[in-house]
Amino acid sequence: MVEELGRITRPATANYQGKRKLLLAPLVHLAVPTDTAPAEGADILARYWDQVDVQVRAVQNALGSVTHVYHENLPEGGDAGLGYLEATGQSSHKLLSSLVEAGAILETTESMEVMAEALDLQRCLMQPLMSPAVASRLQEWFGEANHRRYEFVAEAIDTTLGEDETGLLLINERHQVQFPVDIEVIYIAPPALDEFRRWFQNWSEQLQREMASGPSDPEDADQSV
C-alpha cells in the first residue's frame, strides 16, 4: 500500500501501529557539480531537501522515529556510506546525517558488483552504436542488471526493517523496487518537487537547443574553441 503524506491524519496513525512503515522520497539531483549548476536550479533543489526534512520530521512526530535509512547507490552503510555521500556532494547528506545522529542506521542498498555492471552498461549505451542488434542486447542486459539492483534494495529493506519500525528510502522516481506486501509505503512529495521537475525540463530543453544551434557565425566558432 502506498499513501501520500498529505493524507495521513492523526486519527489514522492508529492504523500504522505494529506495522512496518517506509517513507519514500524521490532522490533528485543536478547532473552537474553544485558549484557550476545554474543558481535557480540549485536554489530549488536546496528548497526541496529542506521540505523533505520538514515532512520527514512531521511523520516522525506522528508515527515514531526513523530507525533505518536506505539510499540508492550505497554499497556501504554506516559511517562509510555517510562519508561517501558527503565526499560526492550529495544534497541528501545533511538530512541523512541528522537522522543518523538521532540514532537511525544507514543501511547498505547495493551490491558493488551489480552496481558496477549496471554503470558500465549505461556508459556503453551512451555511445553511438552501429548495430541495432548490439544496442538491443545491451539494453536487455542493462535492464537485467537494474532488476537485480532493485531486488537487492527490496531484500535489504525486508531483512533490516523490523516490526513497528519506520524507515526512509531515497531512490530515483523510475525505480522498480517491489516492496514486501506487509510494508506500508508513505510517499513524500513536497511542493518543490514539481517545481524542480518543471525547471529541469526547461533547462534540459534549453541545453538541447543550444547544442543543436551551435555557434551563430565563424567568429563565434573561433571563440568557442
Side-chain angles (χ1 to χ4, degrees):
M1 175 182 176
V2 178
E3 186 166 3
E4 291 185 8
L5 175 62
R7 297 180 182 176
I8 299 177
T9 59
R10 288 198 174 276
T13 58
N15 297 331
Y16 293 93
Q17 290 183 357
K19 297 181 179 180
R20 300 196 291 173
K21 288 86 62 179
L22 183 68
L23 313 183
L24 193 162
L27 185 57
V28 296
H29 57 84
L30 289 165
V32 295
T34 53
D35 57 348
T36 61
E40 183 182 3
D43 289 345
I44 297 172
L45 189 61
R47 188 157 59 249
Y48 168 76
W49 285 108
D50 285 343
Q51 292 175 2
V52 169
D53 189 312
V54 170
Q55 294 197 359
V56 168
R57 291 177 186 276
V59 174
Q60 289 190 114
N61 289 336
L63 302 180
S65 299
V66 168
T67 53
H68 299 271
V69 182
Y70 312 90
H71 191 292
E72 188 176 17
N73 300 326
L74 272 189
E76 290 186 281
D79 292 339
L82 205 58
Y84 170 78
L85 294 176
E86 182 178 20
T88 54
Q90 298 291 319
S91 301
S92 54
H93 174 263
K94 180 180 177 181
L95 169 63
L96 268 59
S97 181
S98 65
L99 291 172
V100 169
E101 287 179 3
I105 300 172
L106 181 60
E107 303 286 358
T108 298
T109 57
E110 300 272 4
S111 158
M112 176 61 82
E113 180 181 357
V114 178
M115 186 174 72
E117 180 181 326
L119 288 172
D120 282 345
L121 288 166
Q122 186 178 44
R123 292 189 185 100
C124 290
L125 287 167
M126 293 173 65
Q127 302 301 318
L129 299 171
M130 294 182 63
S131 170
V134 171
S136 178
R137 290 290 295 274
L138 284 174
Q139 188 63 54
E140 182 180 352
W141 189 2
F142 178 64
E144 292 172 354
N146 265 333
H147 180 72
R148 282 182 281 133
R149 286 183 58 234
Y150 293 131
E151 281 186 331
F152 192 100
V153 173
E155 184 177 357
I157 295 171
D158 193 27
T159 56
T160 58
L161 189 62
E163 181 179 344
D164 202 27
E165 287 190 322
T166 302
L168 169 66
L169 170 63
L170 304 178
I171 195 167
N172 77 86
E173 293 190 89
R174 296 183 179 181
H175 76 86
Q176 301 169 19
V177 177
Q178 298 295 314
F179 300 107
V181 295
D182 65 323
I183 290 182
E184 300 284 344
V185 179
I186 302 168
Y187 186 69
I188 293 179
L193 178 59
D194 282 337
E195 186 180 1
F196 182 80
R197 287 170 178 159
R198 290 191 298 270
W199 175 85
F200 189 81
Q201 179 67 28
N202 293 335
W203 180 55
S204 299
E205 291 175 353
Q206 179 182 344
L207 289 179
Q208 291 175 1
R209 289 193 297 269
E210 292 175 354
M211 293 177 64
S213 62
S216 58
D217 55 54
E219 182 179 352
D220 290 337
D222 292 338
Q223 293 175 352
S224 66
V225 174

